Amino acid sequence: MGDNKEQPLRVGAAVRRRRRALDLTLAVVAERSGLSVPFLSQIENDRARPSRSSLEKVADALRTTAVELLAAADPACSVDVVRAEVAELRPEPRVRSLVRGHHQLHASEFTGDHDAGREFQHRNDELMYVADGAVEIEAEGRAYRLARGDTMYLTGGVRHRWRATVPDTRVIVVAVAEHIEAVQDRTR
């Protein structure tokens, strides 16, 4: 009652729109992402659901983020409830969006570890909150250790990477949306 969006999210149209906006062919995206043209075609036509890793590769190839592609795939609602997922006994990392649709902020929950070698640099600000466990974050050449309840604020443009140091770590990341120009151009 009051909840909506029971259907699985279809990201294909958002991927296609972004690719076409950049005037790229599937072959170019395949080359940039390391994924095959047939698989990319299946994603665009919603015949395949990409893993988080594959979606990140596609997003990188399209010069955007997986969060932006997911947000573009999901129409925004002025009021939306995102229910907690039933915990499954799966050892692999999970990510779920806490804010659906194209809004001024994004929030995601990361459970477990992820590709610790992956470096992030977002145009706008973000806040990381450790809900459970512990993480190590490398930002601006320094390593920071955060435990349960700790937060880290990162100004837009700061390169960073992070990794879970305790099993079943949960990190909440809240960021100003990439489509919102929250910071002034620093070159001026």
Side-chain angles (χ1 to χ4, degrees), residues 54-67:
S54 292
L55 187 59
E56 287 174 352
K57 289 176 182 179
V58 170
D60 287 345
L62 296 174
R63 296 183 183 108
T64 190
T65 65
V67 170

Side-chain angles (χ1 to χ4, degrees), residues 119-122 138-141 154-155 157-161:
E119 186 174 75
F120 298 94
Q121 182 181 25
H122 305 287
E138 182 184 317
E140 295 191 324
L154 298 158
T155 299
V158 172
R159 291 182 183 278
H160 60 284
R161 62 175 51 117

Side-chain angles (χ1 to χ4, degrees), residues 100-169:
R100 296 183 285 202
H102 215 53
H103 291 285
Q104 293 185 14
L105 69 88
H106 296 294
S108 298
E109 176 187 62
F110 294 85
T111 303
D113 210 352
H114 70 285
D115 182 3
R118 182 177 168 84
E119 186 174 75
F120 298 94
Q121 182 181 25
H122 305 287
R123 179 173 48 217
N124 296 329
D125 299 356
E126 75 178 61
L127 176 82
M128 298 179 77
Y129 171 75
V130 181
D132 288 307
V135 297
E136 185 173 273
I137 302 171
E138 182 184 317
E140 295 191 324
R142 291 185 57 195
Y144 301 87
R145 295 177 193 270
L146 278 64
R148 184 174 186 255
D150 291 343
T151 62
M152 175 177 272
Y153 178 84
L154 298 158
T155 299
V158 172
R159 291 182 183 278
H160 60 284
R161 62 175 51 117
W162 66 275
R163 68 180 184 88
T165 58
V166 174
D168 298 323
T169 291

